[in-house]
Amino acid sequence: MSDFSDISVVVQGPVQSFQDREQESGITQKCLESVRQHLPGSTLILSTWPGQELAGLDYDRLVISEDPGSNVRFFGRDGAPHRFNNNRQIVSTREGLREVTTKYAVKLRSDNYLTGNNFVALQCEYPKRTSTHCFLKERVVVSNVFTRQYAKGFRVPFHLSDFFYFGLTEDLRTLWDLDLFEDAQDPIHDNEGALYKSYPPDCTQMFWIKALQKFDTSIHVNELLDRSASRLEQSDLCFANNLVIASPADLGLGLCQKFLGTARISRTKGQCAQWQHWEWQEIYRRYCDPDFPKAPASVKANLFLKRLVHVHPVKLETIVKLYKNRRSSESGGIK
């Protein structure tokens, strides 16, 4: 394709730095320029906050939203509030998508950028779907970075990345037109130790589940490691029917420096805990298209060995830590 006029790109987030969220110097300009290069003819929407330095930035439309502030999802075991930027991401993404008038849209963080447009073709390559758990009109292409299959050494459900989305505009609006998170109020009752047996659900789990609950209110997780066989299968069905999960290289997505080099997510340990594209293809084959080719045995064996070294040993560390947390709670409340 040489013309992408039916696509809008919503670049969402701070332009350089925003209070406690520092940005790589010049990264938003790099992001915007990459859209012009790899999606010529597309509409470029910058959705950001008041007081940003916009001089020299190239965009078609500008969306300035009132800052909802950080949100407190829970209090730590020491009673300190745990603050997140969940509501900021919802607002900047949601308000940007509301300005889209094209059939298709991209949700792109302002600190990432494009290296290609392979995601456009990927979105069309997997036409078959099942009659159940098929919630979106078409598939949405997402990054496997932070789309975790394993966390703390265990399989986890619904752990979808919030980095990158491409699909029908109405589907992206479904995924991001979400109510804001309410702040936790009570350090005792809203305490991490009192609320969860293991760990709190990840923010990215919460975004995905909030969207899926529009179609099926039974979909939920009680905590990060809520991993019953039925929950994991439900998660796999939702992934197989509504998404395409692929690596940044497969998509044409560039990451800012804080996610590269020695960053945890870039190490072997972090990468092999994520869903691989061929693993997503395996559940696509299982649930949607039995004739889809199987992944080579050598590829499967290579990942199995990596997880044997880097992922599975973490289970014991997690079990020990959870045991200590439980003993601490039983003996004296907040620690």
Side-chain angles (χ1 to χ4, degrees):
M1 293 179 64
S2 59
D3 178 73
F4 299 90
S5 56
D6 61 344
I7 298 175
S8 293
V9 182
V10 175
V11 174
Q12 55 83 211
V15 169
Q16 287 298 341
S17 61
F18 189 66
Q19 297 174 15
D20 58 342
R21 179 62 65 91
E22 291 295 321
Q23 295 277 68
E24 180 181 329
S25 178
I27 188 62
T28 305
Q29 182 173 356
K30 182 178 181 179
C31 172
L32 297 173
E33 290 174 350
S34 75
V35 175
R36 295 298 194 205
Q37 177 183 355
H38 296 291
L39 291 178
S42 64
T43 301
L44 187 42
I45 300 171
L46 177 61
S47 181
T48 188
W49 311 108
Q52 301 291 283
E53 179 52 61
L54 303 175
L57 297 183
D58 178 20
Y59 49 82
D60 297 309
R61 299 180 199 165
L62 178 65
V63 178
I64 302 291
S65 303
E66 182 180 348
D67 176 23
S70 61
N71 56 294
V72 178
R73 282 184 49 214
F74 54 87
F75 293 85
R77 296 176 187 276
D78 60 357
H82 281 223
R83 297 186 177 276
F84 300 85
N85 284 314
N86 306 149
N87 289 342
R88 284 174 171 157
Q89 178 154 201
I90 289 173
V91 168
S92 61
T93 304
R94 181 185 67 195
E95 298 308 309
L97 287 170
R98 286 177 176 173
E99 293 297 312
V100 173
T101 58
T102 54
K103 183 177 181 180
Y104 291 93
V106 174
K107 180 262 196 215
L108 181 64
R109 285 170 53 125
S110 60
D111 60 355
N112 290 328
Y113 56 95
L114 298 183
T115 61
N117 53 42
N118 299 340
F119 54 87
V120 178
L122 272 177
Q123 198 258 351
C124 306
E125 287 184 6
Y126 305 93
K128 295 187 178 181
R129 305 167 81 185
T130 67
S131 59
T132 65
H133 297 81
C134 189
F135 301 133
L136 302 179
K137 299 290 186 182
E138 293 184 6
R139 294 186 180 279
V140 170
V141 182
V142 299
S143 168
N144 77 327
V145 177
F146 289 111
T147 299
R148 289 193 174 102
Q149 185 160 182
Y150 289 85
K152 310 295 184 182
F154 292 93
R155 278 287 315 270
V156 289
F158 300 107
H159 203 306
L160 180 65
S161 173
D162 58 359
F163 267 33
F164 175 92
Y165 290 68
F166 169 69
L168 280 177
T169 299
E170 64 177 295
D171 285 335
L172 265 62
R173 285 176 178 156
T174 294
L175 294 177
W176 285 100
D177 191 358
L178 304 174
D179 294 333
L180 301 188
F181 289 87
E182 295 184 3
D183 282 335
Q185 302 292 332
D186 189 327
I188 302 297
H189 294 96
D190 296 330
N191 183 269
E192 179 181 6
L195 292 172
Y196 310 109
K197 293 181 180 179
S198 63
Y199 299 92
D202 190 83
C203 300
T204 56
Q205 284 178 304
M206 299 302 294
F207 288 140
W208 178 229
I209 288 170
K210 277 168 123 357
L212 293 176
Q213 286 176 340
K214 296 178 181 181
F215 304 95
D216 184 348
T217 56
S218 74
I219 294 175
H220 73 284
V221 292
N222 297 314
E223 54 194 359
L224 174 66
L225 304 183
D226 189 352
R227 61 188 193 283
S228 67
S230 60
R231 191 86 74 221
L232 290 170
E233 182 176 31
Q234 191 179 42
S235 176
D236 286 355
L237 275 163
C238 290
F239 278 7
N241 274 297
N242 299 285
L243 305 173
V244 178
I245 300 172
S247 71
D250 292 328
L251 298 176
L253 176 66
L255 307 180
C256 62
Q257 289 299 318
K258 70 179 179 180
F259 299 120
L260 301 175
T262 59
R264 182 174 59 177
I265 200 65
S266 290
R267 301 174 197 159
T268 301
K269 183 176 181 179
Q271 290 188 345
C272 67
Q274 299 171 158
W275 276 87
Q276 308 303 306
H277 181 50
W278 68 263
E279 288 185 291
W280 177 84
Q281 289 177 322
E282 287 287 283
I283 61 170
Y284 171 76
R285 181 177 62 82
R286 184 188 314 155
Y287 294 115
C288 304
D289 185 0
D291 296 325
F292 193 85
K294 294 182 179 180
S298 59
V299 172
K300 295 181 180 181
N302 182 53
L303 182 60
F304 173 78
L305 292 174
K306 286 182 178 179
R307 285 178 175 161
L308 198 62
V309 173
H310 297 285
V311 174
H312 297 303
V314 181
K315 289 180 182 178
L316 181 58
E317 298 174 21
T318 299
I319 291 169
V320 171
K321 185 173 183 179
L322 292 176
Y323 173 76
K324 290 180 178 179
N325 287 342
R326 186 165 59 251
R327 288 293 300 271
S328 174
S329 297
E330 290 171 354
S331 64
I334 297 175
K335 296 288 186 182

